Amino acid sequence: MAGSSFGNIFRITTWGESHGAAIGVVVDGCPAGLELSEEDIQVYLDRRKPGNSQFSTQRKEDDKVEILSGVFEGKTTGTPISMLVRNTSQRSSDYSEIASYYRPGHADYTFDKKYGFRDYRGGGRSSGRETIGRVAGGAIAAKLLKELGINVVAYTESIDDIQISMKNFDIYEARRNKTGMPDKYASEKAEIYLTECMKKLDSAGGVIACVAHNIPVGIGDPVFEKLDANLAKALMSIGAVKAVEIGDGTKVAETTGSKNNDSFRIDEYGNVSKITNHSGGILGGISDGSELVVRAYFKPTPSIFQEQKTINKNGENIDIQIKGRHDPIIVPRAIVVVEAMTAITILDELLLNMSARVDNIKKFYE
Amino acid sequence: MAGSSFGNIFRITTWGESHGAAIGVVVDGCPAGLELSEEDIQVYLDRRKPGNSQFSTQRKEDDKVEILSGVFEGKTTGTPISMLVRNTSQRSSDYSEIASYYRPGHADYTFDKKYGFRDYRGGGRSSGRETIGRVAGGAIAAKLLKELGINVVAYTESIDDIQISMKNFDIYEARRNKTGMPDKYASEKAEIYLTECMKKLDSAGGVIACVAHNIPVGIGDPVFEKLDANLAKALMSIGAVKAVEIGDGTKVAETTGSKNNDSFRIDEYGNVSKITNHSGGILGGISDGSELVVRAYFKPTPSIFQEQKTINKNGENIDIQIKGRHDPIIVPRAIVVVEAMTAITILDELLLNMSARVDNIKKFYE
Amino acid sequence: MAGSSFGNIFRITTWGESHGAAIGVVVDGCPAGLELSEEDIQVYLDRRKPGNSQFSTQRKEDDKVEILSGVFEGKTTGTPISMLVRNTSQRSSDYSEIASYYRPGHADYTFDKKYGFRDYRGGGRSSGRETIGRVAGGAIAAKLLKELGINVVAYTESIDDIQISMKNFDIYEARRNKTGMPDKYASEKAEIYLTECMKKLDSAGGVIACVAHNIPVGIGDPVFEKLDANLAKALMSIGAVKAVEIGDGTKVAETTGSKNNDSFRIDEYGNVSKITNHSGGILGGISDGSELVVRAYFKPTPSIFQEQKTINKNGENIDIQIKGRHDPIIVPRAIVVVEAMTAITILDELLLNMSARVDNIKKFYE
Amino acid sequence: MAGSSFGNIFRITTWGESHGAAIGVVVDGCPAGLELSEEDIQVYLDRRKPGNSQFSTQRKEDDKVEILSGVFEGKTTGTPISMLVRNTSQRSSDYSEIASYYRPGHADYTFDKKYGFRDYRGGGRSSGRETIGRVAGGAIAAKLLKELGINVVAYTESIDDIQISMKNFDIYEARRNKTGMPDKYASEKAEIYLTECMKKLDSAGGVIACVAHNIPVGIGDPVFEKLDANLAKALMSIGAVKAVEIGDGTKVAETTGSKNNDSFRIDEYGNVSKITNHSGGILGGISDGSELVVRAYFKPTPSIFQEQKTINKNGENIDIQIKGRHDPIIVPRAIVVVEAMTAITILDELLLNMSARVDNIKKFYE
């Protein structure tokens, strides 16, 4: 089935395998007239590029993006924007062994059973490199959102049980350090933990939070195209994410209505606001004007260097030891992926919302 | 935007408001030849019917379903199955007051801003009654899955901080008691808690777990139509759900790869199995043959009888006291909704998977 | 497969069989704030109602529509509008015989082979009554288009080889007479032809033209969601239509570029216009501001009372004589169906077009 | 809006402009296990390549395809197949002038009004080069269909009023000559006509017929996803097509039911057949097992070298004379485009049909 597209009006279609010739995305439905350069995309791609720190795979890839269509004289034309990143550092030899067995925690077994065989080189389509297309598409969505005054910002909220403290919050710190944590002290602790983890030939998980400011009230469509429902799909579709939450998320199950309800208030400037924001900016699947808050929980990288038990294609129980270049934690490089998917989801719903009311349609076409 | 449809091949389109003439669903793409009666649907609807216990709204509705199309001589014909439930107990008078203000935790404000006005009677389209269409559609999906040997079963896993214990697990107990907990002792504690909660004019939240057995390996499509991504959307689209997780869910963020990876094994019967199931039955977005485990976290009912602060349509800060008939907890009646959405999602991916391989297509058409 | 939905933002989902309990449609994505009553729908349904003349089946159906959702205080709310028409004149006895054989020109054989069996009563889902849902949905689209100044008007252009003359053109005539021809003289000739046809126990075909005025420039999306491509699908999906054309249609194959190109001109009021309109109002799949012209070619009703050769379910060659109540020509009752499908297609593209440009999006959300 | 995708399960997403860096397509949902090489695609692309005869633009393009993903060890993997053709012969200077005015019969005006500006170089996205993506995608669909025994074959049926004669029918002739007509004599006449046409600085239109053999009974979904409805959309979406017909097409409007109905017969081998095939292989939107027949009517190339009247961007009436390299007729190079779109449509419906019946689903998953 065609499962590589996301979005309704603003739609990305990603393609490419870890060790194929290239990885890319077609962004269809991007409105015309957005100033766009390869540099706009590159800054996003650089944030997920491997080799930025010791906590990321040592695979060397420049991940230089090439825009092949949809932009003319520096502006989007309304037609599909095709973008491509060449794979340059495929060392297939690293992967020849894994052709014969199924790595625990990976999609080797399920791809093989579904399709009859698989591109085993570096995980093929289920590799983390698949997210390049998402990030390139998300960079465009984020740029358009910015022009509408909407900022989408993600960061690492925790690694294992090391949480950031909001009183130390500094988003620039998150962009500087190796963990993506907007808290210098938490990040230092996390780095020590990760170094320890690597020594044990093990890997770690964590949580990425994503917030968006200035979303207009009214974005999202009942019943199945709710903003939160689409965000849940968007983020759960990222490999390694096992839970998604909006606002207070899992905590709402252990509170009471009197505590969880956010009271509306007219603030000192005469604007509608909420005293609290347990809802994370969404009510009934529609943005309520307060800050959007969403979180994705990432599992530890399944590729670890310890000996593991598994089976091979002949149906025999075997012990394996994975080689190659792998991130001991996915979280820092996934921050920009979370931002990208969130931006795409918000933008798509924002465009869909324009035709929600007859009076707006009349005004548009008069 | 058309946001009331869910599914690709097997697709439900729901419609209807709390206080309109009726609520219903069109199930399109249901394969031909499934034996189906109104009774098959009714048993599912009865599980979400109001008035079953003191922890559910006292609104009296029979919620009798009528099948209007798509079934002939007791079997589905392959054409759309239209189903309808008449609303019989609309007491609009209860709701006249709420027309003028925005209830905290509800979609009143967001609907008003999005559409310019709203059907304020009982929450209109954002009422919990909207789920009738989901449950009626899900009953069909669940029936077809059962014929394929796949059982989808949901139950209450916790209410506030009262958790079930797996050693007391009894699914029949869950179907008998008022909490939906498959643990007699936990359920009794929860009832005491809920009674207390009602006395305080407050409401409670909880967690619903849903498991599915016997799903074939290979269901789900990379990259965006992953089984877990679609489950996340399916469940997050249910009103009051604020978090969704697969398998170990949020816990994966605080473990290590060596603990979280599920080792494959050939079991004593020569079958592929996994020693553990942290993944909840999904790897790379595709079912891995083990038990599917998914959880939805529900917020406390926003309609509480305590005095609350909010604003009215004129932009004034006011204090309100909600009247009417409301569930002090949504969870017990939502169990069947979670089952329904899970069943629909699995079935749709199961049908989509049939065309994944050329050899299967050749066999089908030879 | 779910094949009963049409449209992206404004989407109809139709359901129902000729002899089931009812026929209906869910209109999802209708913008909020449109004044709408059952009467608005009824006037459209009355135009396709059986029994209006001797050239239409004598089956007696009132086809009274009931709006079940999506309208509150006389206006659409933005949520799905469910509409239903009860079948009241099902005489299944008429159809018992046809269960055993396959009528030439009908879908009996193909449904049986696809689904393993079929609802044979009156054609089941492939009956012309299926168009009730289209017309009810189209009535809403047409009403909204009218508020934007866009009129969609269809009429019979020819019956067999009897063509209307544009110099006699009178659309009110088309609404009065039994053929739907906007030419009194042609209509009289056609009535004589049809009467003759009925005497011979035969049936006739014809052409319906549909024009739309005042469509803004820019409606339609390259490459596959072109306005003409979607119109072609919309009209070809109507049972009995075997050809669809835009503007000069089939004639373009026998002309030259110098004759077929429409020259642009600035007219006396300073507006852009075209000297001719061979293109039928569409260039590159996008509306060009001139009159939209589309035609659908209808085959003669396959149900004729002459003896015909066919096969039965046992694979035997047999001779049959169809009984029952059948239109000797489909065209007059199909006019409103063509209008409906055209209106839905235009409206959907009109809504989609609102997000085509960044500057418009900025203006909308500023 | 995202308008560059076609198909449900087997879906192509095309991108690229005439004078951009490249043109391409992502084929998503292609079943796994199909042997596929660049050569399979190239033979199709070569059939639409410019410069093959004097009746085609003299632009020199090799149109060499590169497969970037989705194929491993010579077989499709089930993941998206990205294909790219570099543009090598962009002479933008040819087009600098047309930036300022709107060519009659082209999409210049409508693109400008829709998007605010346009990539005017060679027609940008509305160039005939856009069909490269369709053809590359169609080559894959056609290859898979062939493995199922289904052949899709298109040819020129007429140019201006010069028709082929079925008694001279020779499909190899069509592949050899410059007109694509499977009739040596008609082709010679047409070549004379076209040469004359070019001398007059004019262009010609024509009709392409496409037939498909061996389609199983049961392909296509009522009501809106009918095989003929999707074919109509598929073909009408090709630039320059102004009419589409199935089987006897427009002629059905002037015949009678007794003549148009195709009688079913059990043939001498005990198989179901039809005595005639006026329906063109489709009944009720579903394939009936006989030959599929579909036709597309192409307008003359709008780019002609005669002086033409039009307007410029400043709203002035002007006379223009188009320069550059243009086909005097689109038809010969469009044959393979018609084949491609027909193949994609059939394949998609074929895959969708696999889940139409419960008994087949049970057999598949048992």
Side-chain angles (χ1 to χ4, degrees):
Chain A
M1 187 235 171
S4 294
S5 295
F6 185 82
N8 294 282
I9 286 193
F10 183 93
R11 185 191 296 156
I12 64 167
T13 300
T14 72
W15 56 268
E17 282 84 36
S18 173
H19 284 55
I23 294 259
V25 63
V26 180
V27 177
D28 197 10
C30 180
L34 179 71
E35 286 187 28
L36 191 73
S37 68
E38 288 174 352
E39 182 56 23
D40 291 321
I41 313 299
Q42 197 61 53
V43 293
Y44 273 76
L45 286 177
D46 287 350
R47 289 173 59 196
R48 76 159 294 292
K49 212 169 62 172
N52 283 341
S53 87
Q54 75 265 38
F55 305 132
S56 121
T57 169
Q58 294 310 301
R59 176 171 173 167
K60 291 277 176 266
E61 290 281 3
D62 272 346
D63 288 349
K64 281 292 165 212
V65 73
E66 199 183 340
I67 298 180
L68 298 172
S69 69
V71 177
F72 180 59
E73 297 181 342
K75 286 191 293 184
T76 60
T77 60
T79 61
I81 303 164
S82 177
M83 296 183 283
L84 175 152
V85 166
R86 293 273 169 188
N87 291 322
T88 58
S89 173
Q90 312 100 310
R91 284 192 275 156
S92 291
S93 54
D94 289 359
Y95 299 99
S96 53
E97 195 183 315
I98 67 168
S100 67
Y101 60 73
Y102 303 125
R103 291 170 299 164
H106 276 285
D108 300 344
Y109 175 68
T110 53
F111 266 66
D112 240 32
K113 291 298 154 189
K114 183 179 188 75
Y115 296 117
F117 78 121
R118 73 183 194 280
D119 181 348
Y120 50 77
R121 301 165 305 159
R125 181 73 177 143
S126 68
S127 160
R129 279 189 76 71
E130 166 263 312
T131 58
I132 285 177
R134 302 176 185 238
V135 171
I140 298 177
K143 184 158 200 216
L144 182 41
L145 287 179
K146 254 173 230 157
E147 299 216 353
L148 297 168
I150 301 169
N151 279 298
V152 180
V153 177
Y155 52 83
T156 305
E157 198 174 74
S158 65
I159 287 177
D160 196 76
D161 63 353
I162 303 157
Q163 301 265 344
I164 62 162
S165 161
M166 287 314 279
K167 69 171 199 286
N168 302 329
F169 192 95
D170 175 4
I171 193 64
Y172 300 104
E173 169 64 25
R175 298 294 176 256
R176 266 192 310 262
N177 65 36
K178 297 166 183 166
T179 62
M181 286 178 141
D183 171 346
K184 195 166 178 261
Y185 309 100
S187 184
E188 282 167 7
K189 278 210 280 185
E191 289 193 36
I192 293 166
Y193 172 78
L194 290 173
T195 307
E196 206 57 35
C197 206
M198 288 174 77
K199 278 191 202 148
K200 293 180 185 159
L201 309 179
D202 215 335
S203 63
V207 179
I208 294 174
C210 187
V211 297
H213 302 272
N214 269 332
I215 302 181
V217 187
I219 306 307
D221 286 274
V223 168
F224 296 113
E225 301 300 328
K226 285 173 169 149
L227 181 53
D228 40 3
N230 279 320
L231 285 169
K233 179 172 181 171
L235 298 187
M236 194 68 95
S237 77
I238 303 172
V241 172
K242 300 299 286 184
V244 177
E245 66 180 22
I246 308 293
D248 283 5
T250 59
K251 293 195 189 73
V252 299
E254 299 195 20
T255 187
T256 60
S258 61
K259 287 181 199 138
N260 189 60
N261 283 352
D262 301 315
S263 287
F264 290 102
R265 284 284 96 174
I266 302 297
D267 69 15
E268 49 194 320
Y269 310 104
N271 297 321
V272 174
S273 68
K274 285 159 41 192
I275 295 174
T276 50
N277 186 23
H278 300 296
S279 77
I282 301 178
L283 283 171
I286 300 171
S287 62
D288 66 11
S290 37
E291 190 181 61
L292 177 80
V293 181
V294 57
R295 268 179 214 85
Y297 290 74
F298 284 77
K299 71 176 184 183
T301 322
S303 289
I304 53 172
F305 299 115
Q306 293 181 20
E307 194 174 82
Q308 295 185 88
K309 295 185 179 311
T310 191
I311 59 172
N312 63 20
K313 291 183 77 167
N314 302 327
E316 296 159 334
N317 289 320
I318 57 169
D319 291 340
I320 59 160
Q321 203 154 2
I322 292 172
K323 297 189 187 66
R325 304 160 297 179
H326 304 288
D327 305 71
I329 183 165
I330 290 158
V331 167
R333 293 177 58 204
I335 293 168
V336 70
V337 182
V338 168
E339 260 182 36
M341 292 307 298
T342 303
I344 292 166
T345 307
I346 294 169
L347 176 59
D348 190 38
E349 298 263 23
L350 212 111
L351 302 182
L352 285 165
N353 179 56
M354 292 177 71
S355 55
R357 289 166 62 162
V358 170
D359 52 1
N360 287 331
I361 301 167
K362 282 186 183 169
K363 208 186 298 173
F364 187 93
Y365 282 111
E366 81 189 354
Chain B
M1 187 235 173
S4 295
S5 295
F6 186 82
N8 294 282
I9 287 194
F10 183 94
R11 185 191 296 155
I12 64 168
T13 300
T14 71
W15 55 268
E17 283 84 35
S18 173
H19 284 55
I23 294 258
V25 63
V26 179
V27 178
D28 198 9
C30 181
L34 179 71
E35 287 188 25
L36 191 73
S37 68
E38 289 174 350
E39 181 58 21
D40 291 321
I41 312 299
Q42 197 61 52
V43 293
Y44 273 75
L45 286 177
D46 287 350
R47 289 173 59 196
R48 75 159 294 294
K49 214 170 61 172
N52 282 341
S53 88
Q54 75 266 38
F55 305 132
S56 121
T57 168
Q58 295 308 301
R59 176 170 172 168
K60 291 278 176 263
E61 289 282 4
D62 271 347
D63 287 349
K64 280 292 166 210
V65 73
E66 199 183 339
I67 297 180
L68 298 172
S69 68
V71 178
F72 181 58
E73 297 181 341
K75 286 190 295 186
T76 59
T77 61
T79 61
I81 303 164
S82 177
M83 297 183 282
L84 175 153
V85 166
R86 293 274 170 189
N87 291 322
T88 58
S89 174
Q90 312 100 309
R91 282 192 277 156
S92 291
S93 54
D94 290 358
Y95 299 100
S96 53
E97 196 183 314
I98 66 167
S100 67
Y101 61 73
Y102 303 125
R103 293 169 298 165
H106 276 284
D108 300 344
Y109 175 68
T110 53
F111 266 66
D112 240 32
K113 290 298 155 190
K114 182 179 188 75
Y115 296 118
F117 78 121
R118 74 183 194 278
D119 180 349
Y120 50 77
R121 302 165 304 159
R125 181 73 176 142
S126 68
S127 160
R129 278 190 75 71
E130 167 263 312
T131 59
I132 285 176
R134 301 176 186 238
V135 171
I140 297 177
K143 182 155 202 218
L144 181 41
L145 287 180
K146 255 173 229 158
E147 299 216 353
L148 297 168
I150 301 169
N151 279 297
V152 180
V153 177
Y155 51 84
T156 305
E157 198 173 73
S158 65
I159 285 176
D160 197 76
D161 63 353
I162 302 155
Q163 300 266 344
I164 62 161
S165 160
M166 287 313 279
K167 68 172 199 282
N168 300 329
F169 193 93
D170 175 5
I171 193 63
Y172 300 103
E173 170 64 25
R175 297 296 175 256
R176 265 192 309 263
N177 66 36
K178 296 165 184 170
T179 61
M181 285 177 141
D183 172 345
K184 194 165 180 266
Y185 308 100
S187 184
E188 281 166 6
K189 280 211 278 186
E191 289 193 34
I192 292 165
Y193 172 78
L194 290 173
T195 306
E196 205 57 35
C197 204
M198 288 175 77
K199 277 192 201 146
K200 293 179 186 159
L201 309 180
D202 216 332
S203 62
V207 179
I208 293 175
C210 186
V211 296
H213 302 273
N214 269 331
I215 300 181
V217 187
I219 307 307
D221 286 274
V223 169
F224 297 112
E225 301 300 328
K226 285 174 169 146
L227 181 53
D228 40 3
N230 279 320
L231 285 169
K233 178 171 182 173
L235 299 187
M236 194 69 94
S237 77
I238 303 171
V241 172
K242 299 299 285 184
V244 177
E245 66 180 21
I246 309 292
D248 282 4
T250 59
K251 294 195 190 75
V252 299
E254 300 196 18
T255 187
T256 59
S258 62
K259 286 181 200 140
N260 189 59
N261 282 351
D262 301 313
S263 287
F264 290 102
R265 284 285 94 175
I266 302 297
D267 70 15
E268 50 194 319
Y269 310 105
N271 297 322
V272 174
S273 69
K274 283 158 43 193
I275 294 173
T276 50
N277 186 24
H278 300 297
S279 77
I282 301 178
L283 284 170
I286 301 172
S287 61
D288 67 12
S290 38
E291 191 181 58
L292 177 80
V293 181
V294 57
R295 269 178 213 86
Y297 291 73
F298 284 77
K299 71 176 184 181
T301 322
S303 289
I304 54 172
F305 299 115
Q306 293 182 20
E307 195 175 80
Q308 295 185 88
K309 295 185 179 311
T310 192
I311 59 171
N312 64 18
K313 293 182 76 168
N314 301 328
E316 297 159 333
N317 289 319
I318 58 169
D319 292 340
I320 59 159
Q321 203 154 1
I322 291 172
K323 295 188 189 68
R325 304 161 294 181
H326 303 289
D327 305 71
I329 182 166
I330 289 157
V331 168
R333 291 178 59 204
I335 294 168
V336 71
V337 182
V338 169
E339 258 180 38
M341 292 307 297
T342 304
I344 290 166
T345 307
I346 295 170
L347 177 59
D348 191 37
E349 298 262 25
L350 211 109
L351 302 181
L352 286 165
N353 179 56
M354 292 176 72
S355 54
R357 289 167 62 163
V358 170
D359 52 2
N360 288 330
I361 300 166
K362 282 186 182 169
K363 207 187 299 173
F364 188 93
Y365 281 112
E366 78 190 355
Chain C
M1 188 234 170
S4 294
S5 295
F6 186 81
N8 293 282
I9 287 193
F10 183 93
R11 184 191 296 156
I12 63 167
T13 299
T14 72
W15 56 268
E17 283 84 36
S18 173
H19 284 55
I23 294 259
V25 64
V26 179
V27 178
D28 197 10
C30 181
L34 180 71
E35 287 187 27
L36 191 74
S37 68
E38 289 173 352
E39 182 57 21
D40 290 321
I41 311 299
Q42 197 61 52
V43 293
Y44 273 76
L45 286 177
D46 287 350
R47 288 173 60 196
R48 74 158 296 292
K49 213 170 62 173
N52 283 342
S53 88
Q54 74 267 37
F55 304 133
S56 121
T57 169
Q58 294 310 299
R59 175 170 172 167
K60 290 277 177 266
E61 289 282 4
D62 272 346
D63 288 349
K64 281 290 166 214
V65 72
E66 197 183 340
I67 297 180
L68 298 172
S69 68
V71 178
F72 180 59
E73 296 181 343
K75 287 191 292 185
T76 58
T77 60
T79 61
I81 303 165
S82 177
M83 296 183 282
L84 174 154
V85 166
R86 293 273 170 189
N87 290 322
T88 57
S89 174
Q90 313 99 309
R91 283 192 276 156
S92 291
S93 54
D94 289 0
Y95 298 99
S96 54
E97 196 183 314
I98 67 167
S100 67
Y101 61 73
Y102 303 125
R103 292 170 298 165
H106 277 285
D108 301 344
Y109 175 68
T110 52
F111 267 66
D112 240 32
K113 290 297 155 190
K114 183 178 189 75
Y115 296 117
F117 78 121
R118 74 183 194 278
D119 181 348
Y120 49 78
R121 302 165 304 160
R125 181 74 177 141
S126 69
S127 161
R129 280 190 74 71
E130 166 263 311
T131 58
I132 285 176
R134 302 176 186 240
V135 172
I140 298 176
K143 184 157 201 217
L144 180 42
L145 287 179
K146 253 173 231 158
E147 300 216 353
L148 298 168
I150 300 168
N151 278 298
V152 180
V153 177
Y155 51 85
T156 305
E157 197 173 75
S158 66
I159 286 175
D160 197 76
D161 64 353
I162 303 155
Q163 299 266 345
I164 63 162
S165 161
M166 287 314 280
K167 68 172 200 284
N168 300 329
F169 192 94
D170 175 4
I171 194 62
Y172 301 103
E173 170 64 25
R175 298 294 177 256
R176 265 192 310 262
N177 66 36
K178 296 166 184 167
T179 62
M181 285 177 141
D183 172 345
K184 193 167 179 261
Y185 309 100
S187 184
E188 282 166 7
K189 278 212 279 187
E191 289 193 34
I192 292 166
Y193 172 78
L194 290 172
T195 307
E196 207 57 36
C197 204
M198 288 174 77
K199 278 193 201 144
K200 293 180 186 160
L201 309 180
D202 216 334
S203 63
V207 178
I208 294 174
C210 186
V211 297
H213 302 272
N214 269 332
I215 301 181
V217 187
I219 307 306
D221 286 274
V223 169
F224 297 112
E225 301 300 328
K226 285 174 168 148
L227 181 53
D228 40 3
N230 280 319
L231 284 168
K233 178 171 182 173
L235 299 186
M236 194 68 95
S237 77
I238 303 171
V241 171
K242 300 298 285 184
V244 177
E245 66 180 22
I246 308 293
D248 282 6
T250 60
K251 292 194 190 76
V252 300
E254 299 196 18
T255 188
T256 60
S258 62
K259 288 182 197 138
N260 189 61
N261 283 351
D262 302 314
S263 287
F264 290 102
R265 285 284 95 175
I266 303 296
D267 71 14
E268 48 194 320
Y269 310 104
N271 298 322
V272 174
S273 69
K274 284 159 40 192
I275 295 173
T276 51
N277 186 23
H278 300 296
S279 76
I282 301 178
L283 283 171
I286 301 171
S287 61
D288 67 12
S290 39
E291 190 181 60
L292 177 80
V293 182
V294 57
R295 270 178 213 86
Y297 290 74
F298 283 77
K299 71 176 184 181
T301 323
S303 290
I304 54 172
F305 299 114
Q306 293 183 20
E307 194 174 81
Q308 295 185 90
K309 294 186 180 311
T310 193
I311 59 171
N312 63 20
K313 292 182 75 167
N314 302 327
E316 296 160 334
N317 289 319
I318 57 169
D319 292 340
I320 59 159
Q321 203 153 2
I322 292 171
K323 295 189 189 67
R325 304 159 295 180
H326 304 289
D327 305 71
I329 183 165
I330 289 157
V331 168
R333 292 178 58 204
I335 294 168
V336 70
V337 182
V338 169
E339 258 181 37
M341 292 307 298
T342 304
I344 291 166
T345 307
I346 295 169
L347 177 58
D348 191 37
E349 298 263 23
L350 211 110
L351 302 182
L352 286 165
N353 179 56
M354 292 176 72
S355 54
R357 289 166 62 163
V358 170
D359 52 1
N360 287 331
I361 300 166
K362 281 185 183 169
K363 206 187 300 172
F364 188 93
Y365 281 111
E366 79 190 352
Chain D
M1 187 236 173
S4 294
S5 295
F6 185 81
N8 294 282
I9 286 194
F10 183 94
R11 184 191 295 156
I12 63 168
T13 299
T14 72
W15 55 269
E17 283 85 35
S18 173
H19 284 54
I23 294 260
V25 63
V26 179
V27 177
D28 197 10
C30 182
L34 180 71
E35 286 187 26
L36 191 73
S37 67
E38 289 174 352
E39 181 57 22
D40 291 322
I41 312 299
Q42 197 61 51
V43 293
Y44 273 75
L45 286 178
D46 286 349
R47 290 173 59 196
R48 77 159 293 294
K49 213 170 62 173
N52 283 340
S53 88
Q54 74 267 39
F55 306 132
S56 121
T57 169
Q58 295 309 301
R59 175 170 172 168
K60 290 279 176 265
E61 290 281 5
D62 273 346
D63 288 349
K64 282 291 167 211
V65 73
E66 198 183 339
I67 298 180
L68 298 172
S69 68
V71 177
F72 181 59
E73 297 182 341
K75 287 191 294 185
T76 59
T77 60
T79 60
I81 303 164
S82 178
M83 295 183 283
L84 175 151
V85 166
R86 293 272 169 190
N87 291 321
T88 58
S89 173
Q90 312 100 310
R91 284 192 277 156
S92 291
S93 54
D94 289 359
Y95 299 99
S96 54
E97 196 183 313
I98 66 168
S100 67
Y101 60 74
Y102 303 125
R103 292 169 298 165
H106 276 285
D108 301 343
Y109 175 68
T110 52
F111 266 66
D112 240 32
K113 290 298 153 188
K114 183 178 188 77
Y115 296 117
F117 78 121
R118 74 183 193 280
D119 180 349
Y120 48 78
R121 302 165 304 160
R125 181 74 178 142
S126 69
S127 160
R129 279 190 75 70
E130 166 262 312
T131 58
I132 285 176
R134 302 177 186 237
V135 171
I140 298 177
K143 182 154 202 218
L144 181 42
L145 287 179
K146 253 173 230 157
E147 299 216 354
L148 299 168
I150 301 169
N151 279 297
V152 179
V153 177
Y155 52 83
T156 305
E157 197 173 75
S158 66
I159 286 176
D160 198 75
D161 64 353
I162 302 157
Q163 299 267 344
I164 62 161
S165 161
M166 288 313 279
K167 69 172 197 283
N168 301 329
F169 192 95
D170 174 4
I171 193 63
Y172 300 104
E173 170 63 25
R175 297 296 176 256
R176 266 192 310 262
N177 66 36
K178 297 165 182 168
T179 61
M181 285 178 141
D183 171 345
K184 194 165 179 262
Y185 309 101
S187 184
E188 282 166 7
K189 279 211 280 185
E191 289 193 34
I192 293 166
Y193 172 78
L194 290 173
T195 307
E196 206 57 37
C197 204
M198 287 176 77
K199 278 191 200 144
K200 294 179 186 158
L201 308 180
D202 216 333
S203 63
V207 178
I208 294 175
C210 186
V211 297
H213 302 273
N214 269 332
I215 300 179
V217 186
I219 307 306
D221 286 273
V223 168
F224 296 113
E225 301 300 328
K226 284 174 170 148
L227 181 53
D228 41 2
N230 279 321
L231 285 169
K233 177 171 182 172
L235 299 186
M236 194 69 96
S237 76
I238 303 171
V241 172
K242 300 299 286 185
V244 177
E245 67 181 21
I246 309 292
D248 283 5
T250 60
K251 294 197 189 74
V252 300
E254 299 196 19
T255 189
T256 59
S258 62
K259 286 181 199 139
N260 188 60
N261 283 351
D262 301 315
S263 287
F264 290 103
R265 283 286 95 173
I266 302 297
D267 70 16
E268 48 193 322
Y269 309 104
N271 298 322
V272 174
S273 69
K274 284 160 41 193
I275 294 172
T276 51
N277 186 24
H278 300 295
S279 76
I282 300 177
L283 284 171
I286 300 172
S287 62
D288 67 11
S290 37
E291 190 181 59
L292 178 80
V293 182
V294 58
R295 269 178 214 85
Y297 290 74
F298 283 78
K299 71 176 184 182
T301 322
S303 288
I304 54 172
F305 300 114
Q306 293 183 21
E307 195 175 80
Q308 296 185 89
K309 296 186 181 310
T310 192
I311 59 172
N312 63 20
K313 292 182 77 168
N314 301 327
E316 296 159 334
N317 289 321
I318 58 169
D319 291 340
I320 59 159
Q321 203 153 1
I322 292 173
K323 296 189 189 67
R325 305 160 295 181
H326 304 288
D327 305 71
I329 182 165
I330 289 158
V331 167
R333 291 179 58 205
I335 294 169
V336 71
V337 182
V338 168
E339 258 181 37
M341 291 307 298
T342 303
I344 291 166
T345 308
I346 294 170
L347 177 59
D348 190 37
E349 298 263 23
L350 211 109
L351 302 182
L352 286 165
N353 179 55
M354 293 176 71
S355 55
R357 289 166 63 162
V358 171
D359 52 1
N360 287 332
I361 301 166
K362 282 186 183 170
K363 207 186 299 171
F364 188 93
Y365 281 111
E366 79 190 356

